[in-house]
Amino acid sequence: MCNFTLSGNGTERKNLAYASVYGSVMAVGFPLNAVALLVLLRRHNLKSPSVIFMVNLAVSDLLLVITLPLRVYFYATGTWPLSNAACTSVTMLFRDNIRSSSFFITLISVDRLLAVVYPLRSRSLRTFSNAWKAAGAVWLCVLVMNIPEIISFTSFLNSYPQSSCFEFDCPPESVLRYAQPVLIFTMLAVNIVCTALVSLTLSRHLNDSARVNNKVNAMLIFVMNLIMFTVFFLPVSLGILIQTWRPYLTPLICLACVNCCLDPLLYYFSFDGFWRKKDDVNSSLGRE
């Protein structure tokens, strides 16, 4: 059990601010993602790859949200009341959200790229089966990345039992330090390429309304995906990678969790047919 006490007036003010942010994210993120998941499951039959990726993205965000009460408690009271195993689980779920979200957001971008740029040739690739295989591969990759981190984190907590649950960082020489930044940089590059190709395609077919029903929404989803990476995922990844950014890592982590409140905007405003019933969506998907 960690009983690390946060002290000092400046530190107390900062941690009350962190508790407020996490509490606000929890209050906003849970209902938004729960409603999004409910609508996706009840009004869509998971035939579209985009819907499948969005369902998994909503699940990832909900897994993050359920850990936030413990972070609120820690930063509000300055103590960690649970076991080291609970601390490890909370930390891994938090890190997994950034990783799984980056994967699923990228898969959404790639799926939209195929639908817009290669609508006919991609039909055999954009299938129910392939989408679920990709989602399964994402979760498997995330779990594999967890294994060495769990071992290292557990060793850290056992060696420094009075340390803060959220104080752990990989040693500078550890390869674990580079795993998340490399992932985020790679996924960001893929999103940039997808955005550029779709933008170029839409500009060439500006008057072809049959090719893309809603060009504004088609580009909006790519813009929002880039914002997710540059505002929420990239700063915390740089904070992990660059040692001089270490003093700013806690607020960057706090900022990163806000992504789960904005992910539902991808469903509400960017997914054509989000509020429509299954039959209406299936009809529109058949025209893609």
Side-chain angles (χ1 to χ4, degrees):
M1 179 182 298
C2 289
N3 288 312
F4 180 84
T5 301
L6 301 171
S7 59
N9 292 334
T11 301
E12 289 178 0
R13 285 194 295 268
K14 288 181 181 179
N15 287 290
L16 286 176
Y18 298 148
S20 299
V21 172
Y22 287 128
S24 300
V25 171
M26 178 179 60
V28 174
F30 181 80
L32 284 180
N33 284 283
V35 169
L37 183 60
L38 182 63
V39 171
L40 288 169
L41 292 176
R42 295 192 63 177
R43 301 181 73 90
H44 303 272
N45 58 6
L46 301 184
K47 293 293 185 181
S48 165
S50 288
V51 175
I52 292 172
F53 299 143
M54 288 178 183
V55 165
N56 282 274
L57 182 58
V59 170
S60 174
D61 288 337
L62 286 172
L63 290 175
L64 167 67
V65 169
I66 63 175
T67 70
L68 295 183
L70 291 173
R71 284 185 177 259
V72 172
Y73 179 88
F74 172 76
Y75 285 111
T77 66
T79 60
W80 178 255
L82 303 179
S83 65
N84 287 350
C87 173
T88 302
S89 299
V90 169
T91 303
M92 289 302 104
L93 282 174
F94 194 97
R95 295 187 178 190
D96 287 349
N97 172 258
I98 296 178
R99 295 161 184 171
S100 58
S101 292
S102 68
F103 272 120
F104 288 122
I105 288 174
T106 302
L107 286 172
I108 292 170
S109 291
V110 172
D111 176 69
R112 292 293 85 199
L113 166 72
L114 295 175
V116 173
V117 181
Y118 309 105
L120 298 179
R121 283 182 287 176
S122 65
R123 282 184 177 272
S124 61
L125 185 62
R126 298 177 59 243
T127 64
F128 166 88
S129 176
N130 287 340
W132 278 113
K133 288 177 182 178
V138 168
W139 289 114
L140 179 61
C141 180
V142 169
L143 289 175
V144 169
M145 292 178 68
N146 279 353
I147 294 174
E149 286 192 339
I150 289 174
I151 295 173
S152 182
F153 196 13
T154 302
S155 175
F156 169 81
L157 291 176
N158 289 336
S159 300
Y160 304 96
Q162 298 303 316
S163 295
S164 161
C165 176
F166 307 120
E167 202 177 53
F168 172 71
D169 187 22
C170 297
E173 68 277 5
S174 174
V175 295
L176 297 178
R177 173 180 292 273
Y178 302 98
Q180 180 166 310
V182 168
L183 171 64
I184 297 302
F185 290 139
T186 302
M187 296 296 103
L188 176 58
V190 173
N191 277 271
I192 292 174
V193 171
C194 289
T195 303
L197 291 176
V198 170
S199 178
L200 181 61
T201 299
L202 294 181
S203 65
R204 289 176 176 175
H205 300 82
L206 191 60
N207 298 318
D208 187 0
S209 59
R211 186 178 180 88
V212 179
N213 293 330
N214 193 324
K215 296 180 176 65
V216 174
N217 280 0
M219 284 307 302
L220 180 60
I221 194 169
F222 291 97
V223 173
M224 293 179 64
N225 287 348
L226 289 178
I227 291 174
M228 290 291 182
F229 273 90
T230 56
V231 176
F232 301 109
F233 300 154
L234 188 59
V236 70
S237 298
L238 290 174
I240 293 172
L241 183 64
I242 303 173
Q243 190 65 25
T244 55
W245 284 36
R246 178 61 188 174
Y248 311 105
L249 187 55
T250 300
L252 291 176
I253 291 173
C254 196
L255 173 65
C257 79
V258 179
N259 86 88
C260 73
C261 295
L262 299 183
D263 281 338
L265 296 179
L266 292 173
Y267 327 136
Y268 297 147
F269 302 118
S270 303
F271 175 42
D272 183 28
F274 177 77
W275 295 109
R276 282 186 258 162
K277 293 182 180 179
K278 294 179 181 179
D279 293 340
D280 296 332
V281 176
N282 289 339
S283 178
S284 67
L285 290 175
R287 294 192 298 270
E288 286 187 353

